[in-house]
Amino acid sequence: KQWYQRRVAITAGGQTGAPLQVSVLKMTFMSEGREDIELDLAGDLSKLKESSVVIKEGCEYQLNFSFHVAGEIVSGLRFQQNISRKGIPASKLNLMLGSFGPRDANHEFKTPLDEAPKGALCRGKYHAKCKFIDDDKTVHLAWEWTFKIQSDW
């Protein structure tokens, strides 16, 4: 395993021996029929909880993450998201992103296509708790954001 880690780090342009650091830079909400919405995850995360992203009910969407890995290989990086509405759990997502070596350029990961709930009962404000975690149970970033599901953009 050590041989593999050194080889990946060297070919990826990273430095071996430096401490592992994963910096999640931004999350982009992408849906057809509307401009992409970028949420800055490198700045003040409390602002994300205060302002809501508007999502049209029944629309298909994807999330795109941009992050940087420095130091060592991060193995088993996962994105976890717990969504609730009025304090009641609505859905959970535990998505394996994979293992990433250090490099100068940012890594990008796009989630599979998903569909927002639809119907009058599904409209309203939702609260999402998210985190990036690896196989060693190290939480690299945890944040909360809110979104509203409406009948139109």
Side-chain angles (χ1 to χ4, degrees):
K1 184 177 177 179
Q2 291 176 348
W3 172 84
Y4 171 75
Q5 288 179 335
R6 278 186 295 214
R7 178 167 177 128
V8 170
I10 291 168
T11 58
Q15 298 175 345
T16 58
L20 170 66
Q21 182 181 356
V22 178
S23 303
V24 185
L25 305 172
K26 66 181 175 180
M27 177 177 79
T28 307
F29 178 86
M30 301 180 304
S31 181
E32 227 177 275
R34 121 167 252 161
E35 289 186 25
D36 295 348
I37 301 170
E38 284 190 5
L39 301 177
D40 180 20
L41 300 178
D44 185 7
L45 298 176
S46 63
K47 291 180 182 177
L48 300 176
K49 196 174 174 182
E50 297 168 6
S51 60
S52 294
V53 174
V54 175
I55 300 173
K56 182 179 177 181
E57 64 178 351
C59 76
E60 290 187 334
Y61 69 92
Q62 286 182 296
L63 298 176
N64 185 44
F65 295 99
S66 177
F67 58 96
H68 184 78
V69 177
E72 297 178 6
I73 294 172
V74 59
S75 64
L77 188 64
R78 289 178 292 160
F79 169 66
Q80 295 178 344
Q81 179 172 260
N82 295 323
I83 298 175
S84 61
R85 181 172 179 218
K86 298 181 181 178
I88 300 169
S91 72
K92 283 186 176 184
L93 176 66
N94 188 2
L95 190 63
M96 175 62 76
L97 283 82
S99 297
F100 299 90
R103 66 178 188 189
D104 295 333
N106 293 336
H107 294 277
E108 297 279 331
F109 183 84
K110 200 178 284 189
T111 62
L113 205 58
D114 201 359
E115 185 178 347
K118 55 185 167 185
L121 294 176
C122 295
R123 293 181 199 141
K125 190 173 185 176
Y126 290 80
H127 181 82
K129 292 183 180 180
C130 306
K131 64 181 170 181
F132 271 87
I133 188 168
D134 64 20
D135 281 345
D136 297 329
K137 306 291 185 222
T138 303
V139 177
H140 296 284
L141 181 69
W143 76 96
E144 298 178 24
W145 65 294
T146 58
F147 60 93
K148 291 180 186 175
I149 294 185
Q150 298 179 349
S151 58
D152 203 2
W153 297 112

